[in-house]
mmCIF file of all heavy atoms in Angstrom:
data_model
loop_
_atom_site.group_PDB
_atom_site.id
_atom_site.type_symbol
_atom_site.label_atom_id
_atom_site.label_comp_id
_atom_site.label_asym_id
_atom_site.label_seq_id
_atom_site.Cartn_x
_atom_site.Cartn_y
_atom_site.Cartn_z
ATOM 1 N N ALA K 6 48.137 130.085 -209.291
ATOM 2 C CA ALA K 6 47.546 130.520 -208.055
ATOM 3 C C ALA K 6 46.674 131.769 -208.298
ATOM 4 O O ALA K 6 45.667 132.015 -207.625
ATOM 5 C CB ALA K 6 48.622 130.791 -207.007
ATOM 6 N N ASP K 7 47.073 132.634 -209.276
ATOM 7 C CA ASP K 7 46.291 133.891 -209.517
ATOM 8 C C ASP K 7 45.060 133.592 -210.410
ATOM 9 O O ASP K 7 44.415 134.480 -210.806
ATOM 10 C CB ASP K 7 47.202 134.918 -210.187
ATOM 11 C CG ASP K 7 47.701 134.489 -211.519
ATOM 12 O OD1 ASP K 7 47.328 133.401 -212.029
ATOM 13 O OD2 ASP K 7 48.481 135.239 -212.126
ATOM 14 N N GLY K 8 44.836 132.304 -210.752
ATOM 15 C CA GLY K 8 43.602 131.952 -211.530
ATOM 16 C C GLY K 8 43.774 132.154 -212.990
ATOM 17 O O GLY K 8 42.823 131.938 -213.763
ATOM 18 N N SER K 9 44.978 132.549 -213.487
ATOM 19 C CA SER K 9 45.151 132.829 -214.907
ATOM 20 C C SER K 9 45.262 131.506 -215.739
ATOM 21 O O SER K 9 45.155 131.583 -216.959
ATOM 22 C CB SER K 9 46.423 133.690 -215.127
ATOM 23 O OG SER K 9 47.521 133.011 -214.547
ATOM 24 N N GLY K 10 45.488 130.370 -215.141
ATOM 25 C CA GLY K 10 45.567 129.144 -215.859
ATOM 26 C C GLY K 10 46.919 128.883 -216.406
ATOM 27 O O GLY K 10 47.760 129.803 -216.525
ATOM 28 N N PRO K 11 47.258 127.630 -216.753
ATOM 29 C CA PRO K 11 48.593 127.268 -217.250
ATOM 30 C C PRO K 11 48.855 127.892 -218.591
ATOM 31 O O PRO K 11 47.920 128.061 -219.380
ATOM 32 C CB PRO K 11 48.545 125.783 -217.328
ATOM 33 C CG PRO K 11 47.132 125.413 -217.386
ATOM 34 C CD PRO K 11 46.358 126.486 -216.727
ATOM 35 N N SER K 12 50.141 128.242 -218.908
ATOM 36 C CA SER K 12 50.390 128.833 -220.199
ATOM 37 C C SER K 12 50.494 127.793 -221.306
ATOM 38 O O SER K 12 50.388 128.113 -222.471
ATOM 39 C CB SER K 12 51.648 129.684 -220.173
ATOM 40 O OG SER K 12 52.754 128.892 -219.775
ATOM 41 N N LEU K 13 50.614 126.532 -220.938
ATOM 42 C CA LEU K 13 50.632 125.484 -221.944
ATOM 43 C C LEU K 13 49.872 124.252 -221.441
ATOM 44 O O LEU K 13 49.970 123.840 -220.301
ATOM 45 C CB LEU K 13 52.116 125.028 -222.229
ATOM 46 C CG LEU K 13 52.237 123.915 -223.251
ATOM 47 C CD1 LEU K 13 51.813 124.396 -224.664
ATOM 48 C CD2 LEU K 13 53.641 123.369 -223.311
ATOM 49 N N ARG K 14 49.072 123.722 -222.339
ATOM 50 C CA ARG K 14 48.375 122.442 -222.120
ATOM 51 C C ARG K 14 48.960 121.433 -223.044
ATOM 52 O O ARG K 14 49.125 121.738 -224.236
ATOM 53 C CB ARG K 14 46.867 122.601 -222.486
ATOM 54 C CG ARG K 14 45.964 122.613 -221.326
ATOM 55 C CD ARG K 14 44.552 122.825 -221.854
ATOM 56 N NE ARG K 14 43.911 121.589 -222.284
ATOM 57 C CZ ARG K 14 42.896 121.516 -223.142
ATOM 58 N NH1 ARG K 14 42.421 122.625 -223.715
ATOM 59 N NH2 ARG K 14 42.361 120.362 -223.442
ATOM 60 N N ILE K 15 49.283 120.263 -222.538
ATOM 61 C CA ILE K 15 49.753 119.194 -223.390
ATOM 62 C C ILE K 15 48.775 118.002 -223.225
ATOM 63 O O ILE K 15 48.520 117.587 -222.095
ATOM 64 C CB ILE K 15 51.183 118.726 -223.043
ATOM 65 C CG1 ILE K 15 52.133 119.918 -223.110
ATOM 66 C CG2 ILE K 15 51.652 117.636 -223.980
ATOM 67 C CD1 ILE K 15 53.580 119.587 -222.707
ATOM 68 N N THR K 16 48.249 117.495 -224.309
ATOM 69 C CA THR K 16 47.380 116.355 -224.271
ATOM 70 C C THR K 16 48.113 115.189 -224.999
ATOM 71 O O THR K 16 48.543 115.385 -226.121
ATOM 72 C CB THR K 16 46.034 116.592 -224.943
ATOM 73 O OG1 THR K 16 45.511 117.787 -224.394
ATOM 74 C CG2 THR K 16 45.079 115.436 -224.741
ATOM 75 N N ILE K 17 48.165 114.024 -224.340
ATOM 76 C CA ILE K 17 48.803 112.857 -224.973
ATOM 77 C C ILE K 17 47.711 111.820 -225.227
ATOM 78 O O ILE K 17 46.979 111.460 -224.347
ATOM 79 C CB ILE K 17 49.903 112.267 -224.112
ATOM 80 C CG1 ILE K 17 50.938 113.344 -223.747
ATOM 81 C CG2 ILE K 17 50.569 111.063 -224.741
ATOM 82 C CD1 ILE K 17 51.934 112.951 -222.708
#
Side-chain angles (χ1 to χ4, degrees):
D7 63 3
S9 57
S12 58
L13 178 68
R14 251 177 85 203
I15 304 178
T16 307
I17 304 173

